[in-house]
Amino acid sequence: MSTNTVDKPRKVTTATLRKMKNEGEKIAMLTAYDYSMARLVDGAGMDIILVGDSATNVMAGNATTLPMTLDEMIYHARCVARGTERALVVADMPFGTYQGDAIAAVHNAVRLMKESGCEAVKIEGGAEIRESIERILSAGIPVMAHLGLTPQSVNKFGGYGIRAKEEAEAEKLLADAKMVEELGCFALVLEKIPAALAEKVAKSISIPVIGIGAGSGVDGQVLVVNDMLGMNQGFRPKFLRLYADLQTVITDSLHHYISDVKSLSFPSPTEQY
Ligand code: KIV
């Protein structure tokens, strides 16, 4: 009897990520919001796929992440989960689904897991949302924390500038990182903070720390897939490396198609029945 497991890639779990940190292997994480992209990202060997609430920026054209609803997130996360075999699928809890009311938070996290098939949730904040983190963890749901620039708080911050440059904010961030580790979060995202602080945090806690605009001294990196593939060349923060120029590739292809249609070169005799 064949077990047929020879070519099957090993599923990434929260335990895999912990082992990777312990062994010094960097963790590659990228966003995806739909089935087709998830298949490509997963097939390439990504460790974590994040169904970020940045979906509402890049998919729906909203200026901030605040408008994203739980139903919209469930839809995107379900599409991604369907297209993923190996990577750990983490979905963002949208703004307003976990702040303030810890009972509502666990109810919303359960819905997100149950209705989408994602394997963990990510939530933004530290001590202020401690009770929600505890409740969600107590339901057996793995939680990835997110500190530093937390885009759902853009109106409190007054913009998307670098966070924790001042001593007091840096100290609070380090304390929050230790708190989320102690509570049992399986990983932490640090966004747009000084590289030296991010490295200090990664060395101070045992759970994997994934950075975006947080330098190289952390345990892994995350980017927004549409940004790193160059689909929106208007967005060029310092931390972003462009791995492709899909804006040019797609626009050139579209011009080519329009020209072929208008000149009657498409479809050719071999492209019809
Ligand atoms: O929503 C998102 O894409 C994120 C990443 C930028 C970390 O939270």
Side-chain angles (χ1 to χ4, degrees):
M1 193 182 77
S2 162
T3 51
N4 200 22
T5 55
V6 181
D7 295 322
K8 235 182 161 184
R10 276 190 67 178
K11 179 77 189 142
V12 177
T13 66
T14 56
T16 317
L17 300 171
R18 176 76 72 110
K19 188 162 175 274
M20 287 170 79
K21 170 159 180 148
N22 291 341
E23 293 176 358
E25 181 183 346
K26 297 291 179 186
I27 297 165
M29 170 164 149
L30 194 66
T31 68
Y33 315 107
D34 63 67
Y35 172 80
S36 305
M37 187 62 85
R39 277 177 57 110
L40 292 173
V41 173
D42 188 53
M46 207 62 59
D47 300 308
I48 306 175
I49 299 185
L50 172 67
V51 192
D53 56 1
S54 50
T56 201
N57 306 130
V58 294
M59 297 278 112
N62 285 311
T64 73
T65 55
L66 275 63
M68 182 116 213
T69 67
L70 183 58
D71 285 335
E72 287 166 348
M73 178 51 75
I74 288 169
Y75 170 77
H76 286 290
R78 192 189 297 136
C79 298
V80 168
R82 224 180 264 139
T84 304
E85 279 185 41
R86 177 186 172 272
L88 184 80
V89 178
V90 181
D92 260 333
M93 299 238 354
F95 176 63
T97 63
Y98 59 92
Q99 298 95 337
D101 182 347
I103 302 290
V106 72
H107 174 78
N108 291 328
V110 167
R111 258 201 77 198
L112 184 49
M113 297 285 288
K114 200 191 271 281
E115 296 179 34
S116 76
C118 73
E119 295 153 322
V121 301
K122 176 164 82 59
I123 60 181
E124 298 181 6
E128 18 345 276
I129 54 155
R130 179 188 178 120
E131 215 189 315
S132 293
I133 296 174
E134 283 173 326
R135 287 273 181 180
I136 296 170
L137 286 167
S138 73
I141 298 172
V143 175
M144 173 180 271
H146 183 158
L147 299 170
L149 174 63
T150 46
Q152 293 177 13
S153 301
V154 60
N155 293 309
K156 184 174 107 184
F157 295 148
Y160 292 101
I162 305 163
R163 302 308 312 174
K165 283 193 292 188
E166 309 301 331
E167 180 103 7
E169 195 178 337
E171 270 172 25
K172 180 184 179 326
L173 188 143
L174 185 56
D176 280 343
K178 289 182 176 164
M179 184 202 78
V180 298
E181 176 199 27
E182 238 164 69
L183 292 180
C185 291
F186 74 93
L188 166 65
V189 166
L190 290 179
E191 180 164 353
K192 226 172 168 185
I193 63 167
L197 175 61
E199 183 169 359
K200 184 173 172 190
V201 172
K203 284 188 172 145
S204 307
I205 62 177
S206 60
I207 59 174
V209 174
I210 317 286
I212 173 164
S216 59
V218 289
D219 306 304
Q221 300 292 330
V222 56
L223 287 174
V224 168
V225 65
N226 296 56
D227 296 342
M228 60 91 83
L229 292 179
M231 293 173 81
N232 171 18
Q233 302 258 356
F235 182 65
R236 296 293 292 272
K238 185 178 177 186
F239 65 78
L240 177 64
R241 183 177 292 181
L242 286 184
Y243 286 87
D245 180 5
L246 286 199
Q247 183 166 310
T248 304
V249 171
I250 292 171
T251 305
D252 286 352
S253 308
L254 299 177
H255 287 154
H256 198 164
Y257 169 69
I258 293 169
S259 145
D260 284 356
V261 169
K262 299 212 180 267
S263 66
L264 303 183
S265 103
F266 176 79
S268 70
T270 60
E271 290 165 323
Q272 51 193 291
Y273 301 101

